[in-house]
Amino acid sequence: MKVSKLILLAAIGLVLPGLSSAQIYESKDAEGVPEFSDTPKAGAEVVDLQKTNVADEPPDIPVAPREE
């Protein structure tokens, strides 16, 4: 029972990041108010979003050889 739940959670964890990578489109309505959607409309432009939760790699720390 526990193994099947673990497998299910792992599968969901692998699928969810792929769902969040959709294109975002911006268009304006008749009054000029911006509208955002995941489906393109006539005259819509693709919105380039910044990556979130991105950190720089940690610096390499030199390790002195061990003296024996």
Side-chain angles (χ1 to χ4, degrees):
M1 185 70 164
K2 289 184 180 183
V3 174
S4 62
K5 286 183 181 180
L6 181 62
I7 292 172
L8 178 63
L9 287 174
I12 290 172
L14 292 173
V15 170
L16 287 179
L19 297 176
S20 65
S21 63
Q23 288 284 336
I24 304 295
Y25 300 94
E26 178 183 12
S27 60
K28 307 249 184 204
D29 67 4
E31 296 176 1
V33 177
E35 294 180 334
F36 296 92
S37 176
D38 60 348
T39 55
K41 295 181 180 180
E45 297 180 6
V46 176
V47 178
D48 291 326
L49 300 176
Q50 296 178 358
K51 290 185 178 180
T52 58
N53 297 329
V54 178
D56 295 332
E57 290 186 28
D60 289 333
I61 300 173
V63 177
R66 294 177 59 182
E67 295 181 24
E68 294 184 26

